[in-house]
Each structure stands twice: as C-alpha cells, then as structure tokens.
Amino acid sequence: MRSHTAYMTFETNARRELIRITEQVQAAVEEAEIEEGMALVSAMHITAGVWVNDDEPGLHEDVLEWLDKIAPPSWTPATGDVASELLPEGGDYRHHRGGEDNGDAHLKNLLVHHQAIVPVTAGRLDLGPWQQVFYCEFDGGRPKRLVIKAIGE
Amino acid sequence: MRSHTAYMTFETNARRELIRITEQVQAAVEEAEIEEGMALVSAMHITAGVWVNDDEPGLHEDVLEWLDKIAPPSWTPATGDVASELLPEGGDYRHHRGGEDNGDAHLKNLLVHHQAIVPVTAGRLDLGPWQQVFYCEFDGGRPKRLVIKAIGE
Amino acid sequence: MRSHTAYMTFETNARRELIRITEQVQAAVEEAEIEEGMALVSAMHITAGVWVNDDEPGLHEDVLEWLDKIAPPSWTPATGDVASELLPEGGDYRHHRGGEDNGDAHLKNLLVHHQAIVPVTAGRLDLGPWQQVFYCEFDGGRPKRLVIKAIGE
C-alpha cells in the first residue's frame, strides 16, 4: 500500500466562498503514484467544508444564500415548541459569549460536512462528468488548511 | 492491498426516491475478495446522495417531505436579515437561469451527502442491526451512476 | 496493509448529547500500529452521528438547539407549496405510526452524517488544532455502538 499526504492553505478575501480544487486533488494522487485507491480531502478547520458538486456560478450563489437561511449568521428564535425552550441568554449564539462571531460557520461546516473521499481508478479521480471538488470557506480572511491523504497502490 | 470497483446505474420513475442497495454493496465486497477494509459508496451525480439508515417506508416518506421543507423545489425568500440581502433576481434559484429546474436536488445532495463508507470486517459489511445503505435519487427519470470502490485485504 | 477494528458502546443519560472521542480514536490507531492511513469512525445506529468540530460547550448547546429547529421532535407543517402537499395523516411523523417517537433523531443523523474519516500521519490523527471527534447521541438512554476501522501501514 502506498500513501501520500499533501496540504493546501487558503486565504480568501471573502468571508464565504467556494474554491475549486479538483485539479489539486488529482495532482496529489499523481504524486502518490496510486492507480487504485482513495483520496480523502478534509478541511482542517471547524468553519470550512468540502463539497463535490457542479462548477456552476449561479448554483454557488444559491448555495451560499441557502446556507445563510438554514444556518443564519444572527441567531433567530425557533418557531417550534421544543426548540423555543432552548432560548439562549441575550438572543445570540452561546458560542459568541467568548467574543467569537462565527457561530454560523460551525453550523455550515456541519451541513456541508468537512470532508469527501474521491475514489481513484486507473490513476484518475473516478468522478461523474459534472462532479468537481470544492473547498467551502465560511469564515475566511485568514490562512486555513486542508489535508489530502491518498492511499492505494 | 486488494481493490475492486463496481458501478451501478439507476433510472427511477419517480423524481425523488430511496433505493436500498445494501445487498449490491455486499456483493461488490465479495467480488473484491476482501476480508478487512472499507467500501466507499459514492453517487457520481450532483443531484443524488447515499444514506445509511432504517428501511422503514414511513421514515422514507418523512425524509423526502422534510428534505422538501429544507431544500424546497421553489425558491423561497429568507426570513432572516442577512439572507434577505441575497435575494436573487426573479425570485427563483440562480441555477435555473440556464433552463435547469433541479436547484433543490443540488441542495438535497448537500444535505444527504453524496457518499458513505462502509467498514468491512470478516468479509461482511460491518453495519448495525438496522443500518441499510440507500441510493437517494432527487432528480430521477434518467440513467444515473454510482461507484462502489472496495479496498482492503 | 494493516487493519484494526475497535468498538465503543455509549449509554447516555440525556436523550441528546455530544461526547468527545478523539482520544479513543487515537488509541485505536495505536493498537492498529499504523503510521500512515485512515481511521473510519462510524455510528452503528440510525439515530446517532459523528461530528468533527470544536470542543466548546456553548457551541455544543447551540448545535443541539439548532438541530431541534431544523429537525424538530414534533412534526410541523411546511410553509412552502410543494412540501405542504406531502402532509402526513394525523400531523405526526409517519415513522411514529408504529409506536416510535424518535423520527427527529433519524433526521438529525442525516444532517450530522453518521461517520467521519480521520487521516493518520506519522502515527497521529492528522487533525487541525481545534478539531475534535464527537459521538453525537440523538436518542440516548440505551446502549449504542460505534465502530472504528483503521487501515494503513
């Protein structure tokens, strides 16, 4: 079994941004000299994710808007009975009590998931015709790392 | 290390449907002749997912309904301040500007995640007693592929 | 290729709870005597998950509250047109027709995802500085299992 580890660092200008990294993952697989196996692509931060989907700019705007609806930057009261009982003091995310302002980015990490695994067949990422790998930044403006771990033979 | 790759093609009548594939994943592991390792089960399309859960028809209806609530087929305005500022022109998903009508299916792909990895122990999928593997179609009615990549020894 | 399988059993007092298991995953990797590879951490139940994020108690309360908003314990009608047509009889999750009361826990399993894979580099979990691995219980009070499968060499 061969293995190879590569790291990438991102520093986005925007707070929330999707960055295509399919080519970098393929390059890591080639450095690994793996014909058959898997490449794990995993954000090393808790406010970022990895998504495999379409490289269509309108969709990316839709996704960032929709994630803001589901995991809003400002805490909002629940409409349901059970969640309403869990009201935090001050009407803000509890995570913000220590001075943080990125509670929503942690929730977006949960929704998107922080990692994906790409199968490798005959030395190539075995993706469908529209599948591209994206690093999803939810709290940018500072250096953040991602690890690619390829195993196989 | 052994590896084995199998592909499945689905063409559902319904637009949204869950299809049990546990047995096919187990068969791929047996073809791989792997006793210890992992089987990656990954949709090759950007409007489908893979979910490991209960084979209970009521739950499946609940899940399809609930996914429609969270990732609705028709774009809906946000209630929160921040997301409201991200209003698309025309009140529809931006992804639909090119003639597509499956914006919600991409969001459901994100929620469900497009893949799962099943551990393999003593030649069997090492699942809990109620865990079954499902292919989740969100934009059916046409042929769509899934890859199973088993590695181990 | 080496492989090693470890199981953990949880029995929480609370119905919903996050339990840090980073150290147990690292211990399984050491038992496996793996220097380079991956450790799959996967809940064996359909009402639990695995999340890699910050060990910050306020955030954990935020997450449990937010999951109750998105996947509420009591079924709630949809606001959108399409989901509204999918109204279940009796205004409750269909999954509850058989006497179950944990429909929300299955939906939370879907949101959180039931597994994560941790890369292993030089014998250590290759995590970012704030990344910890958590078992996420959504229907506790009874024994539930998790599998750790480490492969590599």
Side-chain angles (χ1 to χ4, degrees):
Chain A
M1 196 197 86
R2 287 172 183 278
S3 75
H4 177 70
T5 312
Y7 300 94
M8 295 181 68
T9 301
F10 303 88
E11 187 163 0
T12 61
N13 289 318
R15 181 146 186 182
R16 301 176 182 94
E17 192 173 333
L18 274 65
I19 298 167
R20 173 172 164 159
I21 58 169
T22 318
E23 290 71 20
Q24 288 87 338
V25 178
Q26 175 65 42
V29 165
E30 287 166 19
E31 288 165 21
E33 296 181 33
I34 282 169
E35 289 294 308
E36 297 292 325
M38 299 175 184
L40 170 64
V41 184
S42 196
M44 299 183 80
H45 281 256
I46 51 192
T47 53
V50 173
W51 191 37
V52 174
N53 211 278
D54 197 2
D55 195 357
E56 199 280 283
L59 177 67
H60 294 185
E61 284 184 70
D62 285 336
V63 164
L64 292 175
E65 177 207 359
W66 173 78
L67 287 170
D68 265 358
K69 282 181 185 166
I70 298 184
S74 51
W75 179 88
T76 48
T79 51
D81 286 353
V82 175
S84 298
E85 290 170 16
L86 299 170
L87 187 75
E89 281 182 58
D92 193 8
Y93 288 117
R94 294 159 186 88
H95 184 56
H96 293 175
R97 290 184 300 212
E100 298 280 355
D101 68 350
N102 61 2
D104 70 301
H106 292 268
L107 305 180
K108 285 163 178 152
N109 158 288
L110 186 150
L111 285 169
V112 173
H113 214 59
H114 75 291
Q115 60 187 189
I117 306 219
V118 186
V120 176
T121 303
R124 304 291 303 169
L125 303 183
D126 201 347
L127 294 167
W130 298 281
Q131 286 185 313
Q132 302 292 341
V133 186
F134 294 93
Y135 171 74
C136 307
E137 179 60 81
F138 301 123
D139 188 24
R142 57 202 171 95
K144 296 175 74 171
R145 295 174 81 212
L146 172 139
V147 56
I148 303 169
K149 174 75 78 173
I151 64 169
E153 58 180 19
Chain B
M1 197 198 85
R2 286 172 183 277
S3 74
H4 177 71
T5 313
Y7 300 93
M8 294 181 68
T9 301
F10 303 88
E11 187 163 359
T12 61
N13 289 319
R15 180 144 186 185
R16 302 177 180 93
E17 190 173 335
L18 274 64
I19 298 167
R20 174 171 163 159
I21 58 170
T22 317
E23 290 72 18
Q24 287 88 338
V25 179
Q26 175 65 42
V29 166
E30 287 166 19
E31 287 165 20
E33 296 181 32
I34 283 169
E35 290 294 308
E36 297 292 325
M38 298 177 185
L40 170 63
V41 184
S42 195
M44 299 183 80
H45 281 256
I46 52 192
T47 53
V50 173
W51 192 37
V52 174
N53 211 278
D54 197 2
D55 195 357
E56 199 279 283
L59 177 67
H60 294 186
E61 285 184 70
D62 284 337
V63 165
L64 292 175
E65 177 206 0
W66 173 77
L67 287 170
D68 265 357
K69 282 180 184 166
I70 299 184
S74 51
W75 180 88
T76 47
T79 51
D81 287 351
V82 175
S84 298
E85 290 170 15
L86 300 170
L87 188 75
E89 281 182 58
D92 194 9
Y93 289 117
R94 294 159 187 87
H95 184 56
H96 293 177
R97 289 183 301 210
E100 298 280 355
D101 68 351
N102 61 2
D104 69 302
H106 292 268
L107 306 179
K108 284 164 179 153
N109 158 289
L110 186 150
L111 285 169
V112 173
H113 214 59
H114 74 292
Q115 60 187 190
I117 305 219
V118 186
V120 175
T121 304
R124 304 291 303 169
L125 304 182
D126 201 348
L127 294 166
W130 297 280
Q131 285 184 315
Q132 301 293 340
V133 186
F134 295 94
Y135 171 75
C136 307
E137 179 61 80
F138 302 123
D139 189 24
R142 56 201 172 95
K144 296 175 73 170
R145 295 175 81 212
L146 172 139
V147 56
I148 303 169
K149 174 74 80 173
I151 64 169
E153 58 179 19
Chain C
M1 196 198 84
R2 286 173 182 277
S3 73
H4 177 70
T5 313
Y7 300 93
M8 296 181 67
T9 301
F10 302 88
E11 187 163 2
T12 61
N13 289 319
R15 180 145 186 182
R16 302 177 181 93
E17 191 173 333
L18 273 65
I19 298 167
R20 174 171 162 159
I21 58 169
T22 318
E23 290 72 18
Q24 288 88 337
V25 179
Q26 176 65 41
V29 165
E30 287 166 19
E31 288 165 19
E33 297 181 31
I34 284 169
E35 289 295 307
E36 296 293 325
M38 298 175 185
L40 170 64
V41 184
S42 196
M44 299 182 80
H45 281 256
I46 51 191
T47 53
V50 173
W51 191 37
V52 174
N53 210 279
D54 197 1
D55 195 358
E56 199 279 284
L59 177 66
H60 293 186
E61 285 184 70
D62 285 336
V63 165
L64 292 175
E65 176 207 359
W66 173 77
L67 287 170
D68 265 357
K69 281 180 184 165
I70 298 184
S74 51
W75 181 88
T76 47
T79 51
D81 286 351
V82 175
S84 298
E85 290 171 15
L86 300 171
L87 186 75
E89 282 182 56
D92 194 8
Y93 289 117
R94 295 159 187 87
H95 184 56
H96 293 177
R97 289 184 300 212
E100 297 281 354
D101 67 352
N102 61 3
D104 69 302
H106 292 268
L107 305 180
K108 285 163 179 154
N109 158 289
L110 186 150
L111 285 169
V112 173
H113 215 59
H114 74 292
Q115 60 186 191
I117 305 219
V118 186
V120 176
T121 304
R124 304 292 305 169
L125 304 182
D126 201 347
L127 294 166
W130 298 281
Q131 285 185 314
Q132 302 292 340
V133 186
F134 295 93
Y135 171 75
C136 307
E137 180 59 81
F138 301 123
D139 189 23
R142 54 200 172 97
K144 295 175 74 170
R145 295 175 82 212
L146 172 139
V147 56
I148 302 169
K149 173 75 78 174
I151 64 169
E153 56 178 22

